[in-house]
Amino acid sequence: MFRVVLLFGLITSFSFAAPQATDEILARLQTCIETGTSTDTLIESLETLETTEIEAILKEYDHTWPKLRDKYLSDFEANAKSKYSGSLKTEQNKMIKSYRNDFMRVRDMPEVQMKKKIPKVSKPAIEGLRKILVPTPEELLSTSKPALQKMREMILVLANFRDALVEAAILPDEEESASMILQKEKYVATQVSGLDRDGLRIMKKNDDIAEKEEIPQGERECIREVNEWRMLLGISALVIDPKLCEASRGHSEDMNKFKFFAHESPVPGKKTPGDRAAKEGTSWSGENIYMGSTSPKGANKGWFYSPGHHKNMFRGGHKKIGVGQYERHWTQMFG
């Protein structure tokens, strides 16, 4: 009923003032939604309209579009919150505790024993925690009522069509409707999750630090993934220390330039991690090094499956983190 009535209202709102071509376009839009067919041909037909016609369509479109959009987002949020209440929440808390206990049990094993347990226990535990604590919008929707899933399909079609109208009319500074829907869904998923609020604030602070200090994107992503893992496990997120990033980046460059791979450096004044941290005006509590990929996920994966590095990444005593990349060399420092 929601779909038919509101779409009908959107289309008939044009019938008294709009040109016949406009009525036809909107009728075709409704047909595409009802039949699940692509709107590509319909969007291409916008090129045949004058800018003034497109602007008129958009103006009338926006009489109804916000109501449709807000109705969906409200229902999506209510559905998401329902997944984290009552008996469902109790069961989730049990699973969270079990996953975390499994992970920490492996982390605390001797390194020889850890090697086989990390892929069999630790990685599945992280993935299980992610699905509970940071579900994707698609995961939240997969267990929702079919009506909400259908509503989302319609909303994305309408959002993309609105974006096509804006592009065809060459309107500046217009927010992309489809992108806004997806961003709002992600925001809702984060807010209803069980992640530590202090950790989320640190993540936001890190974004600000990274932007101000112009930390390269790959290094930011490497740090963010480690912090996400730590938060899933109930371990505190780490604050970016730009000075540790500088020390790490310098060591990665030195390893590449002087053809060595070790924590001990042949470069004068930079022999140990402590020397390198002090040289940049900071302190350290641990260091990981990696060689073999330009991908931040590749570096983190290498450390995750390596027992000694794994222990370092998930130690509770760290407060700060810095990562530095140079080509295929990575250094990760903690403080």
Side-chain angles (χ1 to χ4, degrees):
M1 181 63 69
F2 170 85
R3 175 171 58 87
V4 175
V5 170
L6 286 179
L7 264 181
F8 180 78
L10 175 65
I11 292 171
T12 55
S13 67
F14 292 91
S15 60
F16 299 107
Q20 185 175 354
T22 301
D23 286 341
E24 180 183 346
I25 286 174
L26 293 171
R28 288 169 60 192
L29 173 61
Q30 178 163 350
T31 299
C32 288
I33 292 173
E34 291 179 342
T35 60
T37 54
S38 172
T39 59
D40 290 348
T41 301
L42 178 58
I43 289 173
E44 289 176 5
S45 70
L46 296 177
E47 298 177 4
T48 65
L49 299 179
E50 297 291 336
T51 299
T52 53
E53 291 181 289
I54 297 171
E55 289 176 345
I57 295 174
L58 184 60
K59 182 178 179 180
E60 293 299 329
Y61 198 93
D62 282 350
H63 285 317
T64 303
W65 163 247
K67 299 175 185 177
L68 292 165
R69 177 197 64 207
D70 294 346
K71 169 64 175 170
Y72 165 68
L73 290 174
S74 175
D75 287 359
F76 175 82
E77 184 171 6
N79 173 72
K81 288 180 177 179
S82 73
K83 309 294 184 185
Y84 291 86
S85 61
S87 60
L88 285 176
K89 186 174 182 64
T90 300
E91 185 60 31
Q92 286 169 350
N93 286 339
K94 291 180 181 178
M95 294 177 67
I96 290 168
K97 184 177 180 180
S98 177
Y99 281 134
R100 287 176 174 174
N101 286 343
D102 288 345
F103 189 98
M104 295 306 177
R105 176 172 50 81
V106 173
R107 185 201 65 175
D108 294 338
M109 288 178 176
E111 292 186 20
V112 175
Q113 296 178 30
M114 286 178 68
K115 191 72 176 177
K116 292 183 178 180
K117 293 290 186 180
I118 289 175
K120 293 181 179 180
V121 178
S122 305
K123 187 60 176 177
I126 282 284
E127 183 57 24
L129 287 166
R130 188 200 64 75
K131 287 183 178 180
I132 295 173
L133 293 170
V134 195
T136 64
E138 288 74 18
E139 287 169 342
L140 286 171
L141 284 161
S142 67
T143 57
S144 67
K145 295 181 179 179
L148 184 61
Q149 297 177 26
K150 290 284 187 181
M151 192 188 303
R152 185 186 194 243
E153 291 176 9
M154 182 194 75
I155 285 297
L156 289 180
V157 170
L158 290 173
N160 284 312
F161 187 74
R162 186 184 186 281
D163 289 341
L165 287 171
V166 170
E167 183 176 357
I170 318 178
L171 297 178
D173 304 323
E174 276 280 344
E175 181 181 50
E176 290 188 3
S177 299
S179 177
M180 187 277 284
I181 295 292
L182 299 177
Q183 289 174 6
K184 179 65 175 177
E185 287 178 339
K186 289 181 181 179
Y187 175 78
V188 168
T190 300
Q191 292 303 302
V192 301
S193 75
L195 290 179
D196 177 65
R197 297 304 167 196
D198 288 338
L200 291 173
R201 282 190 283 271
I202 288 174
M203 297 281 272
K204 175 62 173 66
K205 179 180 179 180
N206 283 349
D207 288 340
D208 296 337
I209 293 172
E211 190 68 26
K212 180 181 178 181
E213 299 295 331
E214 299 183 348
I215 293 173
Q217 187 62 34
E219 296 174 5
R220 300 185 196 190
E221 292 175 8
C222 193
I223 291 169
R224 171 172 283 276
E225 185 173 44
V226 172
N227 269 335
E228 287 173 349
W229 286 341
R230 289 174 64 94
M231 289 173 66
L232 289 174
L233 294 163
I235 310 173
S236 61
L238 304 172
V239 177
I240 290 179
D241 181 348
K243 294 179 180 179
L244 281 179
C245 288
E246 289 287 345
S248 297
R249 199 176 303 118
H251 188 56
S252 293
E253 184 173 0
D254 288 342
M255 286 192 291
N256 180 78
K257 181 178 180 181
F258 297 106
K259 308 304 180 187
F260 72 96
F261 182 71
H263 294 287
E264 187 169 304
S265 171
V267 180
K270 301 169 72 175
K271 182 177 181 179
T272 69
D275 293 338
R276 297 189 286 275
K279 186 177 179 65
E280 296 297 337
T282 188
S283 59
W284 77 295
S285 59
E287 182 183 78
N288 288 335
I289 56 175
Y290 172 84
M291 178 180 66
S293 173
T294 59
S295 164
K297 286 188 175 295
N300 277 335
K301 182 178 180 180
W303 290 323
F304 188 94
Y305 286 104
S306 173
H309 300 95
H310 183 104
K311 284 180 180 289
N312 216 3
M313 282 203 298
F314 299 109
R315 190 189 304 171
H318 299 316
K319 301 297 181 184
K320 305 178 296 182
I321 187 172
V323 168
Q325 176 197 8
Y326 189 84
E327 296 185 2
R328 296 167 65 84
H329 288 79
W330 294 80
T331 303
Q332 181 185 61
M333 296 186 76
F334 301 97

